[in-house]
Amino acid sequence: MNLPPSVRLSGSDYPVFEIDHPTCKARVALHGAHVMEWCPAGEEEVLYLSPDAVYKEGKAIRGGIPVCWPWFNAHPADPEQPSHGLVRGRFWELLDAAEDPSGVTLRFGIRVGIWNAEITVKAGEELEVTLESKNVSEVPIVVSGALHTYLGVSDISQVRIVNLDGCAYLDTVGGPEMRKQKGDVTFDREVDRIYESSSSTLIVDDLSGRTILIEKSGSPSTVVWNPWAEKAAAMGDMPDDGYRKFCCIEAAIANDRAVVVMPGSSHVLSTRISVEE
Ligand code: TA6
């Protein structure tokens, strides 16, 4: 396929689309249809990508935006199935690539058995990632998942997440236990929470003076995750202090919020990320 002038393909065994457009620079791997980096013009990089990430078929890239699908976390019934679904460790197919003055659009597709999905990445002044679950089978399918976005921060202990105040959440550290958010979310230990929220959130990073807006649709759950020191140290693909540099805010469909997609229908989950002035 001919790529538009602002997109270059690097690597042959592990292809990466390198975007250099007047509105942004970005890198998107064919493996996982995975946005690795996105830097709008005149800004610092917005996503966190682990310097120790592993680029190998079957292994999810640590950082950027892993696509967890068609289920989130453990498979609801079969513990033998991989966590976070079937597609973050596989090569997708590039279906379309285009650009216009507002940015570059890449569309990817994948099919694994009855599971069929498309990812559309629009990289410009904003970054929009859309996951369409398409039911091409004869029976209803049940879908959950997440756009597991790693957002870069100056120091995790200095940031706060705004707009989850009052939301119920499942705290999966220790418990699991249902709780209610009081005020902004801040970090001084491991955080792994599934919020019942379909609203936008903001990361306010006072140290860098930057605020990032995370909008979403088709998502009844917002997952907030930081592994903190002990769990980060146990990960082979992240530096020991890597946890200080990111916070995951995930447009998700989690636990009992899984959606039923009827034959011939689809469900669309999307997230849009922008840097606030
Ligand atoms: O989305 C949060 C979470 O499910 C955490 O429980 C944590 O384990 C994380 O995802 C990362 O999972 P991974 O399989 O990429 O190591």
Side-chain angles (χ1 to χ4, degrees):
M1 180 185 302
N2 283 339
L3 294 174
S6 301
V7 184
R8 185 177 68 84
L9 191 60
S10 71
S12 50
D13 292 349
Y14 199 99
V16 174
F17 298 93
E18 315 268 356
I19 297 173
D20 188 351
H21 185 270
T23 58
C24 73
K25 290 193 169 130
R27 300 176 70 222
V28 185
L30 190 62
H31 185 266
H34 195 130
V35 181
M36 300 158 67
E37 294 172 324
W38 168 64
C39 185
E43 301 286 346
E44 303 281 311
E45 173 60 44
V46 174
L47 303 176
Y48 171 81
L49 178 65
S50 169
D52 297 342
V54 177
Y55 300 101
K56 193 173 118 200
E57 185 169 8
K59 171 84 181 154
I61 299 168
R62 179 70 65 196
I65 310 185
V67 176
C68 304
W69 186 87
W71 57 85
F72 176 77
N73 269 348
H75 185 278
D78 182 355
E80 299 297 308
Q81 296 284 344
S83 176
H84 286 328
L86 299 169
V87 297
R88 58 182 188 152
R90 291 175 195 249
F91 288 103
W92 291 53
E93 184 191 350
L94 179 69
L95 301 178
D96 202 17
E99 73 173 76
D100 63 24
S102 69
V104 168
T105 302
L106 301 176
R107 197 162 59 86
F108 301 92
I110 198 164
R111 182 158 189 180
V112 186
I114 60 163
W115 303 105
N116 192 82
E118 281 184 21
I119 281 279
T120 305
V121 176
K122 283 189 192 167
E125 279 174 14
E126 301 178 339
L127 174 68
E128 189 170 18
V129 180
T130 303
L131 167 63
E132 184 175 3
S133 309
K134 293 179 152 187
N135 188 350
V136 292
S137 78
E138 311 273 291
V139 291
I141 57 170
V142 179
V143 171
S144 64
L147 300 166
H148 195 303
T149 309
Y150 288 70
L151 293 148
V153 297
S154 55
D155 182 335
I156 187 68
S157 60
Q158 304 289 320
V159 301
R160 60 201 158 87
I161 299 172
V162 177
N163 210 26
L164 291 168
D165 185 22
C167 291
Y169 67 91
L170 182 68
D171 188 348
T172 70
V173 177
E177 210 170 312
M178 284 306 294
R179 301 183 197 276
K180 191 171 181 183
Q181 181 64 36
K182 294 197 186 84
D184 297 339
V185 182
T186 54
F187 301 85
D188 61 0
R189 68 198 70 185
E190 180 188 359
V191 168
D192 196 351
R193 301 177 182 170
I194 301 169
Y195 285 89
E196 292 177 5
S197 169
S198 42
S199 303
S200 310
T201 44
L202 290 161
I203 299 188
V204 180
D205 189 335
D206 287 327
L207 213 56
S208 69
R210 185 160 82 165
T211 296
I212 297 170
L213 171 64
I214 302 110
E215 297 169 279
K216 60 175 192 161
S217 65
S219 158
S221 329
T222 296
V223 176
V224 178
W225 177 60
N226 183 282
W228 215 250
E230 203 180 322
K231 287 208 171 153
M235 287 179 200
D237 56 358
M238 182 186 291
D240 288 0
D241 62 355
Y243 75 96
R244 302 206 72 92
K245 291 285 158 205
F246 76 88
C247 158
C248 282
I249 299 187
E250 309 167 32
I253 306 167
N255 296 5
D256 58 350
R257 303 308 300 264
V259 293
V260 178
V261 185
M262 300 307 282
S265 300
S266 55
H267 177 269
V268 176
L269 168 70
S270 75
T271 189
R272 187 164 62 205
I273 299 161
S274 51
V275 179
E276 296 270 277
E277 292 303 321

